[in-house]
Amino acid sequence: MEWPSGVARIASQPLLRVALLPVVAGGAWLTDGLLRWLLTGAALVLLPELLPELLPRLRARFGADALARGRRALPLAIVACASVVLLWPLVKGEPPATRDHAIHYFQTRVLLDDLLPEGRLSGWTDRFNHGFPFGEGYPTLGYLWVAFVHVVSFGAIGLRHSYAWGLLGLWSLVSWGAWQLAAAITRDVLTRARIECDHELVAAWAGALAALAWLLDPGASRLGGWNYLMFHGVWAQLLSCALWLAALVWTLRAMEHPSPRRLAIASGCVAGGLLGHPFGLLTWAIGGVAFAIAVVATPPGARSRACRLRTIAVVHVLGLALAAGGLATFFAAAGELGRSPVGWSGLGALAIRLLSGELFEGPWAWASGGFAIGLALALWSGRTAAWMVVLSCVAMLLVGSQDGITVLRLDLLIAAFKNLQFPRFAIGLKPPMFALTGTACACAAAWIHAAIRRNAPADPGLPVNWLRRVIVAVLLAPLVASALERGGLLVHRPVGAVDTLAHSGAEAEEAALASALRDEATATPQMRVAFLRTGMGGGTYPLFSIADAGAAAVLDGHVATVNFEWQITRRSVAVLRRLGVTHVIHDRPLDDTDEALADALVRIGEYGSYTLERFTLAPDTAPRFVIGGGEIHAFERTRDSVRVEVSSPTGGRLTLAQAPSGRWQATLDGEAIETTTASVSSGMDLLAFELDRPLEHAVIELHYLRTRGEVVLPWVSAIALVLALAMLLRGTALAPPTAAIFGPRVRVLAPWIAIGLAVLGVGALARRQASQLATTWQSFAQERYFEHGRGPRSSFVTDLVIRGDLQLEQGERRLCDGLTGKDALVDCDEADHRPHTSFTYADPYLFRCLAFGVAPGDTVTVRLGAAGDEVIAFLARHGGDTRSRQIEWSTGGKRHPLTGRRADFRFLPRDFEGGAVLEVTNTGDDLEDVCLAAARFH
């Protein structure tokens, strides 16, 4: 076959083909219909000519070495460019103003203005609401992180710029961690596979792909990514995970080439991961255990297993010592957190959804497939870094699944576990998962490239070569051309969405509001501004203005990042006066229900959708008798103590205008007394005292309790910090020991000693779980059945769900039945509704429960234990619409509807001769799930 002479002359001009490519590609982008298909096909034909023609000329122009350096720098350049484009507002120093960012900024300002000048990082503060324990339930490391630039510049750089740059550094740190893990695993895989390629270049591309996957993750609620971390502003946990990733990277480096400096850096990262967020406790434990298992299960490499295990021990013990002071405060105050758990799925469901690409929302199905391939390659490589990442990912899924409660029962080891939102473990899972994905993609590309180079055929000649390109172009052109129209689907919003005040057009409004607040603060001592929001709206930026004006703030309803148990639930004149409010900002007109509040306000100005008003009524913050009567002679308070001198002829209930907290210890004339709570207009609870006798100039004193650990452990952290700083000064590598540290007899006994200690440890954990399980059920029964003489006391014997002593008798109807409704089979999996162990929350504990589905029109009979057993149980809905009344229960008599509230039962042997029986009936047309928790008492 011969080409026409004119076509041949054109085809023989390589520079012409290269020059035509952008013209044709641009036409394909601008046109539509069949013309776009044709131009796209032409671009696909010309595309293979680009690199073969450009590379020789670039080599000749710049030299082979420069071109090689450019190829190596390309992955980093792509990630850097993507980061700058996506995070450009942060580069300019503009902080996000959506959702939780405003309250994070407010608390950073509180830390800088109130706590740091007093030499403390946590403690009670009255700057927010009616007081709360700042930095105790959630550490303040994140606020130090975002304030760092502001502090080191001595205020020359504003806090808003510093906040934005702190977030920029945080996103960069996670990208670096994912890159380094992917590169380390890829080197191990390529070495094992013996693929002929530039290992460092492939490792760099693996790291770049991992970093890009992290940067382009749209995420979802509680699942990390841009949605949760940037838009919602839930970045404190991301800081913990970022430092944990850095600890993994530096520990790997220290194991291979240990030096005091590397050990100190790795330990500091471990401590930062522990102090960044409470969830860091579990990621720290996961990382330590994963490292130890990986070292034992993989070849020793340049350093012996003993040396590497010692490195892991030093890093984690020193890191724990550095964090000990902050952890002591967290454990002392964790009970003050006002939140309930948020469940995820079972481990089996998570594994299936991960492999099918359905675990995380957004366009990341390919990442799940890549993760599965990368996981297999990592295990096959048999190296420590690969195994450590795989074990960490699997452990993160296990701890974040329902099996962490139903199988491992971690809540019975640490009571604070009930505060976990289990899907949020995806925030720590994603970076190592994306690292494995980057490894899979880069190794696959390297293998394909090597195979092509080995099997490349001789040049078939111009006509045949071009004919093949035309055929490929005809096949691919419609797909590629159509994808050009919807290319935005590859990167979903909110990727790249850093919504700042300037971006949203609210910059001028906020500046005017801030100016008005500063003017009011000059004329108003102890200004306290109530920000009355509409629901959980994202427009919280007035908190920026309140913070910069140096005012205290009051927010009604749930306050993210604070999560203090005692909240303001009602906006009323009485509540605002008791809080000492001087000004009000609201984002809607005050309707008829707020008429009294509207009458007590004088408008100052409107700033966009927000109105600033002055509260005209005087504050009512002094101690007050709400029951009985008396006189307040003196009232003094400091940041951690209160002194009240009172007289009362009859006693009564005295309230203070501050939130209750178990950390406040009270005395009456030197004798300890209990504190209680008192409600104000059903809108908030205040700290109160029941005074049950006449008093004459009696002195009530309150002191903010600090546990012994909070006093001692900061000194441990201080000593560890001095040691770590000294280690930073020495970067010389440590030589391996020339002789065994222990004798042969000890080395033989060491494994048996380790096994014995492990058995003892497991036994101690089992005893702890058994004790806590008894406490959980005993407290439940005490509150509902044993108090106030409502029934004879009994003792907990065993949990029937854990023992498997619940017997179900179900009807003949199928759970997923296409005859029962229009969409009855959509996403209906029989396995989800068959009887299985799950968990439910009954404040303040988690309980194992037997979850099962009840088919429409069906009745399930449950036998609880055996004849003669006393059983205490409760039945609750398990997902679905809690307002529905189509589930009914019966214990042998009248049926009762099961609503959103659980139904509690006590089955006494005298009432059920054959044993306790519960019937659950579905009277509706939809499948319903319930969960039954039960325990045997004696």
Side-chain angles (χ1 to χ4, degrees), residues 74-76 78-79 178-179 182-183 202-215 438:
L74 185 59
L76 179 59
I78 291 175
V79 173
W179 177 304
V202 176
W205 277 110
L209 291 173
L212 287 172
W214 147 253
L215 286 171

Side-chain angles (χ1 to χ4, degrees), residues 581-583 597-603 613-619:
V581 168
T582 61
H583 293 75
L597 176 58
D599 292 339
L601 298 176
V602 174
R603 179 168 300 185
E613 304 198 64
R614 188 180 296 112
F615 197 58
T616 59
L617 299 179

Side-chain angles (χ1 to χ4, degrees), residues 803-846:
R803 289 289 301 271
D805 286 346
L806 297 180
Q807 302 175 22
L808 270 67
E809 299 175 6
Q810 296 178 293
E812 298 296 329
R813 294 181 179 271
R814 293 187 59 186
L815 294 172
C816 293
D817 190 347
L819 302 180
T820 58
K822 175 183 176 182
D823 297 318
L825 298 183
V826 176
D827 293 329
C828 189
D829 187 345
E830 292 272 351
D832 292 335
H833 308 286
R834 295 193 194 107
H836 62 278
T837 303
S838 185
F839 71 89
T840 187
Y841 180 66
D843 191 27
Y845 297 110
L846 289 171

Side-chain angles (χ1 to χ4, degrees), residues 880-893:
D881 185 2
T882 59
R883 296 170 296 179
S884 172
R885 300 177 66 87
Q886 63 189 39
I887 286 289
E888 297 180 347
W889 59 267
S890 170
T891 57

Side-chain angles (χ1 to χ4, degrees), residues 597-651:
L597 176 58
D599 292 339
L601 298 176
V602 174
R603 179 168 300 185
I604 297 174
E606 294 185 6
Y607 310 92
S609 58
Y610 295 97
T611 302
L612 173 63
E613 304 198 64
R614 188 180 296 112
F615 197 58
T616 59
L617 299 179
D620 182 22
T621 57
R624 189 173 70 189
F625 281 93
V626 294
I627 297 178
E631 182 180 358
I632 309 297
H633 300 293
F635 175 58
E636 303 172 0
R637 73 173 306 143
T638 64
R639 64 178 175 85
D640 56 5
S641 67
V642 176
R643 184 181 184 278
V644 187
E645 185 178 342
V646 300
S647 294
S648 175
T650 60

Side-chain angles (χ1 to χ4, degrees), residues 48 104 246 267 356 399 424 438 441 519 624 716 762-763 786 852 919:
H104 280 307
S267 300
S356 65
V399 173
R424 287 176 64 173
C441 295
D519 293 341
R624 189 173 70 189
V716 174
V762 171
F786 302 158
F852 55 91
E919 291 184 347

Side-chain angles (χ1 to χ4, degrees), residues 131-154:
F132 86 107
F134 180 92
E136 295 185 356
Y138 286 86
T140 53
L141 179 63
Y143 303 139
L144 292 172
W145 177 279
V146 295
F148 178 76
V149 176
H150 177 73
V151 172
V152 298
S153 67
F154 297 99

